[in-house]
Amino acid sequence: MISIRSHAKPLLLALAAGGYGLCGIAHAAPSNTLIVGQSAAVKSLDPATVTSASDYRIDENIYQGLVGFKSGTLTPAPSLATRWTIGDKGLTYTFHLRRGVRFQDGTPFNAQAVKFNFDRMLDKSDPYHDTGPFPLATLFYGDIARIDTPNADTVVFHLKHAYAPFLTNLAYPAGLIVSPAAVKRYGKDYGSHPVGTGPFEFASWQRGREITLTRNPHYWGTPANLDKVIFKPVPNTQTRMAELLSGSIDLMYGVPAESLKLFRGNPRFTVHAQVAPSAWYVMLNQKQKPLHNRLVRQALNYAVNKRAIAEDILKGTAVPANGLMSPAFKATWDSHLAPYAYNPAKARKLLREAGYPHGFSTTFYVPTNGSGMLAPVAMASVIQNDLSQVGVKVKLRTFTWTTYLDKVNPGLKPDVGMAEMAWITNNPFTLPNLTLRTGAWPDKGGFNSGYYSNPEVDTLMAQARRATNPARQAAIYSRLQKIVHNDPPWIFVVNAKQVAVTSSRVQGFKLQPSYFLLLDGVHLK
């Protein structure tokens, strides 16, 4: 038997060429069963209690929320609610529920079930609150003052304050609706016995090996095409690619950029890629001189060759960022805002104007790995070299991801000028709200670890919080992007693409900008 870990590279090349049969690994999957290779083992299938993409990608096929996203967009769309109205200047949301829907345990979906879900997360006196913890409840739904259920088909949310991202947050996996009867039956062990209303239902869980879902025969919508979906945790990336090449799995997220050549142009596979709602940037510590100077921060943006990073390091799996927001947010992204061009001469000119004709020195914190961090060390090395060309000398200090977060999230120390960071969010409000407001400095509970402060940004974020009209939102975010572009808190580097590879027998698969893995429309040939 071949050890994949010890022979990863030659094995991958042989598999790509079709020259290996893997004893103990390659096997013929059942004809209508899709096998998904996951990057991590699942912790729980209770969507309100987890934050991992590996968990969510299963949950999204078992459960549904009141609101989903229109396919291919980040626009809220009906799901378990067929329609809604917003009243009282954004303080009241009335949802009209889909009738005749039942949970997979046969119990009815209704307004009381919706109220149960949010009471469980938010009300510490609720008898089922101890089935948590619920890490995103306060952040996403903390503005809910009360929930009324005037009848079985109507639920009314009353908010403490107008909160424009509320609809989008309901579409997030934490807002997926679970069966109250199942929670009451299983209590704290509910996450091992998930029950929702979605197109697939839970069948079995072999811990550390696989989770199996089967088609929900009583699904209210169009039935799923697949009989089964099996999710296999394969944490090692090289092993996961070998299993895809061998036919042991059918779908894989997160293929390293340098390995895509194994799949591109190969008729046995399809590579899927699209710009994600991501931002990869270098935060700049404005408590350190000279980074407090706007001209210096502009100079650093001109000094870094983002296109070279996107094409040479990331092999086209990212695009240069034009500023704060990802182009995945089609309704609010300012497409007319040009990225900072690679212009070392202009960078040196701005440094002279700022009083630093010979540049300066600082320390650059870099993680060796981490969620969404792409190729952090290789990217940092390019940035370090580019900055050195304009006289800015940066010393790299690397840390593992968990240690890195412990050093960065509390706020950068005065002797640290720069740190890499990446965010993936499903609405345009989250990133600036958590990282750019003065009220989001780390000592105030946010993630503004570079201590950026701009009164205009603070004012616009307050307006964005209340703006429920799409045209008004777009106008606010357009203004916000221009201000932040001119007064950069970061070096804007790239917006990553999400990348997945499927075997050629997988048909109907679509990437979603939300990062959701929706499999009800997938079929196998």
Side-chain angles (χ1 to χ4, degrees), residues 320-337:
N322 76 342
L324 165 68
M325 201 166 291
S326 166
F329 297 116
K330 296 179 181 178
T332 52
W333 178 62
D334 190 341
S335 61
H336 302 292
L337 198 64

Side-chain angles (χ1 to χ4, degrees), residues 34 67 89 125 144 189 201 209 273 342 345 377 391 438 451 491 511 514 522:
L34 178 78
V67 177
K89 297 182 178 179
S125 66
I144 297 174
D189 197 34
E201 59 185 13
R209 294 185 59 189
Y342 176 52
V377 177
T438 306
Y451 301 100
I491 300 174
L511 288 173
S514 60
V522 171

Side-chain angles (χ1 to χ4, degrees), residues 92 115 130 195 298-299:
T92 303
K115 179 175 168 57
D130 66 354
V195 179
Q298 289 180 344

Side-chain angles (χ1 to χ4, degrees), residues 172-500:
Y172 199 78
L176 295 171
I177 304 299
V178 309
S179 162
V183 173
K184 293 174 182 178
R185 178 179 179 183
Y186 295 108
K188 293 182 180 181
D189 197 34
Y190 168 74
S192 299
H193 305 275
V195 179
T197 61
F200 294 94
E201 59 185 13
F202 175 74
S204 64
W205 187 345
Q206 299 179 49
R207 298 278 173 175
R209 294 185 59 189
E210 62 184 44
I211 292 173
T212 301
L213 308 184
T214 56
R215 181 194 292 116
N216 176 5
H218 306 295
Y219 180 50
W220 60 265
T222 303
N225 297 308
L226 299 166
D227 292 332
K228 289 183 181 180
V229 182
I230 297 174
F231 294 85
K232 291 179 57 177
V234 189
N236 182 274
T237 302
Q238 297 296 324
T239 305
R240 205 159 62 251
M241 288 196 297
E243 292 215 24
L244 181 59
L245 286 162
S246 74
S248 294
I249 62 176
D250 302 302
L251 188 157
M252 172 184 172
Y253 269 92
V255 179
E258 68 274 11
S259 299
L260 283 173
K261 60 181 178 290
L262 295 173
F263 302 98
R264 284 183 171 142
N266 187 329
R268 294 173 52 222
F269 302 98
T270 303
V271 176
H272 308 262
Q274 68 173 20
V275 176
S278 75
W280 196 106
Y281 58 91
V282 177
M283 70 175 73
L284 304 173
N285 185 359
Q286 294 182 50
K287 284 193 173 183
Q288 183 188 89
K289 292 183 179 180
L291 294 170
H292 70 299
N293 188 310
R294 177 175 59 87
L295 295 180
V296 170
R297 300 195 303 274
Q298 289 180 344
L300 300 188
N301 272 281
Y302 282 113
V304 174
N305 190 339
K306 292 101 170 177
R307 186 164 297 282
I309 291 173
E311 295 178 358
D312 299 338
I313 301 296
L314 301 176
K315 308 297 183 184
T317 60
V319 295
N322 76 342
L324 165 68
M325 201 166 291
S326 166
F329 297 116
K330 296 179 181 178
T332 52
W333 178 62
D334 190 341
S335 61
H336 302 292
L337 198 64
Y340 276 87
Y342 176 52
N343 192 334
K346 187 163 187 175
R348 286 189 285 268
K349 179 176 182 292
L350 287 169
L351 287 171
R352 287 195 300 271
E353 290 177 12
Y356 297 90
H358 305 295
F360 60 94
S361 299
T362 191
T363 298
F364 185 6
Y365 274 8
V366 177
T368 57
N369 57 357
S371 177
M373 289 310 302
L374 306 178
V377 177
M379 294 168 74
S381 296
V382 172
I383 293 168
Q384 178 189 42
N385 182 68
D386 286 349
L387 294 180
S388 72
Q389 303 304 307
V390 300
V392 178
K393 301 176 181 63
V394 298
K395 177 183 178 182
L396 302 187
R397 290 198 61 192
T398 59
F399 308 91
T400 60
W401 183 237
T402 53
T403 301
Y404 182 80
L405 293 180
D406 288 342
K407 289 184 173 293
V408 171
N409 284 349
L412 296 181
K413 293 182 178 179
D415 62 338
V416 180
M418 306 163 61
E420 295 180 347
M421 190 51 67
W423 281 77
I424 297 170
T425 63
N426 281 341
N427 69 66
F429 180 81
T430 300
L431 182 59
N433 181 56
L434 293 180
T435 64
L436 295 185
R437 287 184 305 112
T438 306
W441 283 18
D443 60 352
K444 299 175 183 178
F447 294 92
N448 187 350
S449 297
Y451 301 100
Y452 180 76
S453 181
N454 184 319
E456 287 186 283
V457 169
D458 293 342
T459 298
L460 287 169
M461 289 309 301
Q463 294 174 359
R465 181 184 185 90
R466 298 188 295 269
T468 56
N469 179 277
R472 175 64 174 153
Q473 286 179 354
I476 292 169
Y477 286 121
S478 177
R479 176 65 178 154
L480 176 67
Q481 289 169 83
K482 289 181 174 67
I483 291 171
V484 172
H485 188 271
N486 186 56
D487 182 34
W490 313 322
I491 300 174
F492 308 113
V493 184
V494 295
N495 300 121
K497 297 178 182 179
Q498 57 169 323
V499 178

